[in-house]
Amino acid sequence: MRDDASTQAAISAVARRSYGKLLAYLAADMRDVSAAEDALSEAFAAALADWSVHGCPDNPEAWLMTVARRKAIDGTRRRRTGEAVADQLKVMADAEAECWEAGDDEAIPDRRLALLFACTHPAIEVAIRAPLMLQTVLGVDAKTIASAFLVSPDAMCKRLGRAKQKIREAGIPFTIPERDIWSERLQGVLDAIYAAYSLGWSDMDDADLLRRDLVEEAIFLARLLAELLPQEPETLGLLAGMLYAQARCRARRNQQGEYVPLAEQDTHLWDATMIDQAEVVLRHACTFGRIGRYQLEAALQSAHVERRRSGRTDYAPEVQLYDALYALTGSPVVALNRALAMAELEGPAAAIAVFQALADDKRLADYQPYWAARASLFARAGNRREALHAYDMAIGLACDPAVRRFLQRRQRSMLAE
């Protein structure tokens, strides 16, 4: 018999690695996201009892899927009667005949993409599509999703619940739609993958395996979409932007594990091969002559890594790119980043005016990067009171201990002056 701690660790590892894949596969079989979540939760609970006695099986994903399917069948029998249960069980039996093999990257990605596209069905409210995909396909919890979309956890939980109910009631099919309507739904899929990457990238501590897995999963899905849709420039733009950002990953921490901001990073630590890959992908995207959000995001990332080639950063192109991106999105986060680029060109005063206007945007009230940037700007402008208050807010909101320590050092340095 294994001790509970080691069993729990094994289950947590499988959940972190495979929850989204398992849920996507099961939901596609059941055509009911909420019921699939319930069945999978029961399967993980069963694993805790079984694996404590018998140890983790050689193929834990297959074990969990088998148990989850049985739980799903039991649940279907309890919830439905007559022809309804017969029809649902037939659907699940047909799916079972396809044969589950955990790790089958030929089948599982298609199931995940099918669920991604199901979440972008016209019957689903546009604003909830990306959060729904993050939860059902990538296994991100509602609280984390809420922070990414600048809303309260309670509001996000309610919206997600309504969306899942809509999927069930409307009978939305869990299939990849015909190619002629892919473009209609593609934006939502790209938004979800980008949000997943951003969640993994932001405040990513080396010990936070969930966020690391999100980054890897997002890049995997972006590559898959780029292969399936090679004529869609925005899929290429999304992939390029991720590769540019990921190329800088090793430089974000020093040898002691402390956070290093972009302007102070050692460019020799940036992954030259990955940057070259990003350049090729972005150049190919530009050949289609249809500029969109993710190509602009990638172009900004390309501007960020220009320092590796030239030894300096030219902020004028960045401001122009942010102008174009803001015109497309109207995002307060884009406005914030544009202001930071302006500060490098024109000094902190011009950027502070923008930040003062953004202070009334409630979506930024708990957005940690806003307060960190505000603290830096007011410190540069010599406004100690505002800077210290902003540092307090940024430190309190920081999830990554390394980022928190970095901000605390900056605050102490200012107090010592």
Side-chain angles (χ1 to χ4, degrees):
M1 180 178 292
R2 302 182 67 187
D3 62 89
D4 289 343
S6 61
T7 300
Q8 187 62 60
I11 291 172
S12 296
V14 176
R16 190 181 66 248
R17 183 177 64 248
S18 305
Y19 180 87
K21 291 187 284 188
L22 294 169
L23 180 61
Y25 207 91
L26 190 61
D29 290 352
M30 300 180 67
R31 302 179 184 178
D32 185 333
V33 176
S34 294
E37 289 176 326
D38 292 342
L40 196 53
S41 294
E42 291 181 34
F44 274 105
L48 183 58
D50 186 274
W51 298 2
S52 294
V53 176
H54 301 107
C56 180
D58 293 336
N59 195 332
E61 287 96 345
W63 189 98
L64 285 163
M65 181 55 67
T66 298
V67 173
R69 276 211 174 100
R70 291 171 183 164
K71 300 291 185 183
I73 290 170
D74 291 342
T76 298
R77 286 175 175 145
R78 288 194 302 269
R79 291 189 304 272
R80 305 185 185 189
T81 58
E83 293 184 5
V85 69
D87 290 344
Q88 182 63 36
L89 292 176
K90 183 179 185 305
V91 168
M92 296 181 68
D94 291 343
E96 180 74 27
E98 293 180 10
C99 184
W100 162 268
E101 291 185 14
D104 180 0
D105 285 335
E106 293 182 1
I108 298 172
D110 289 342
R111 289 298 183 107
R112 279 179 287 174
L113 284 179
L115 186 50
L116 284 171
F117 278 103
C119 292
T120 60
H121 191 277
I124 302 297
E125 181 186 350
V126 172
I128 198 60
R129 292 175 185 174
L132 183 62
M133 285 182 270
L134 282 172
Q135 188 182 63
T136 57
V137 182
L138 296 164
V140 183
D141 64 89
K143 182 179 179 181
T144 303
I145 296 170
S147 68
F149 287 85
L150 309 180
V151 300
S152 72
D154 185 57
M156 181 57 69
C157 285
K158 290 178 180 177
R159 293 178 191 177
L160 288 167
R162 288 195 297 268
K164 293 170 191 175
Q165 183 177 357
K166 179 63 127 178
I167 287 175
R168 182 176 63 252
E169 293 176 349
I172 293 172
F174 288 86
T175 58
I176 298 177
E178 296 298 324
R179 285 182 178 267
D180 59 351
I181 63 171
W182 276 29
S183 58
E184 299 173 17
R185 303 195 193 179
L186 181 61
Q187 188 65 46
V189 175
L190 297 179
D191 289 347
I193 295 173
Y194 182 70
Y197 183 81
S198 298
L199 283 171
W201 173 259
S202 302
D203 297 337
M204 186 180 67
D205 190 298
D206 285 343
D208 193 335
L209 298 177
L210 173 60
R211 290 183 182 270
R212 287 223 313 260
D213 288 346
L214 272 179
V215 165
E216 294 171 3
E217 187 76 353
I219 292 176
F220 169 79
L221 289 172
R223 287 188 186 277
L224 183 62
L225 271 179
E227 291 173 7
L228 291 173
L229 297 169
Q231 304 303 310
E232 288 287 348
E234 281 292 83
T235 65
L236 301 172
L238 176 67
L239 176 58
M242 290 182 183
L243 292 175
Y244 277 125
Q246 195 62 19
R248 306 196 310 269
C249 187
R250 281 196 306 143
R252 297 181 73 205
R253 298 287 188 273
N254 63 19
Q255 291 183 342
Q256 292 72 43
E258 295 302 322
Y259 171 75
V260 181
L262 175 61
E264 299 173 19
Q265 288 176 10
D266 181 354
T267 61
H268 293 95
L269 295 176
W270 293 353
D271 189 323
T273 300
M274 194 172 289
I275 291 173
D276 290 343
Q277 290 175 2
E279 293 283 355
V280 170
V281 174
L282 181 57
R283 282 199 298 269
H284 182 49
C286 292
T287 62
F288 294 97
R290 289 181 281 132
I291 300 299
R293 172 191 175 182
Y294 291 110
Q295 293 168 79
L296 291 172
E297 295 273 11
L300 277 164
Q301 293 294 339
S302 178
H304 291 334
V305 301
E306 175 60 29
R307 182 160 60 91
R308 176 177 169 272
R309 291 184 288 263
S310 66
R312 64 184 183 85
T313 301
D314 185 355
Y315 289 96
E318 290 192 18
V319 172
Q320 293 174 347
L321 288 167
Y322 279 124
D323 284 339
L325 191 57
Y326 185 77
L328 278 178
T329 66
S331 166
V333 175
V334 174
L336 182 158
N337 289 322
R338 178 185 179 277
L340 292 177
M342 285 176 56
E344 301 301 327
L345 275 178
E346 304 173 18
I352 285 174
V354 176
F355 268 67
Q356 296 292 56
L358 289 172
D360 295 328
D361 194 322
K362 294 181 180 180
R363 293 172 294 178
L364 296 176
D366 294 324
Y367 186 57
Q368 190 271 343
Y370 165 76
W371 292 104
R374 185 180 175 94
S376 176
L377 284 174
F378 276 105
R380 288 173 59 185
N383 189 330
R384 287 171 55 88
R385 184 176 65 85
E386 288 288 350
L388 291 173
H389 170 66
Y391 271 125
D392 284 338
M393 293 294 295
I395 290 167
L397 291 168
C399 298
D400 183 343
V403 172
R404 190 181 306 118
R405 291 192 298 270
F406 170 80
L407 293 170
Q408 288 169 334
R409 287 195 299 272
R410 289 289 174 94
Q411 186 182 49
R412 285 196 299 268
S413 177
M414 187 176 182
L415 287 170
E417 291 177 356

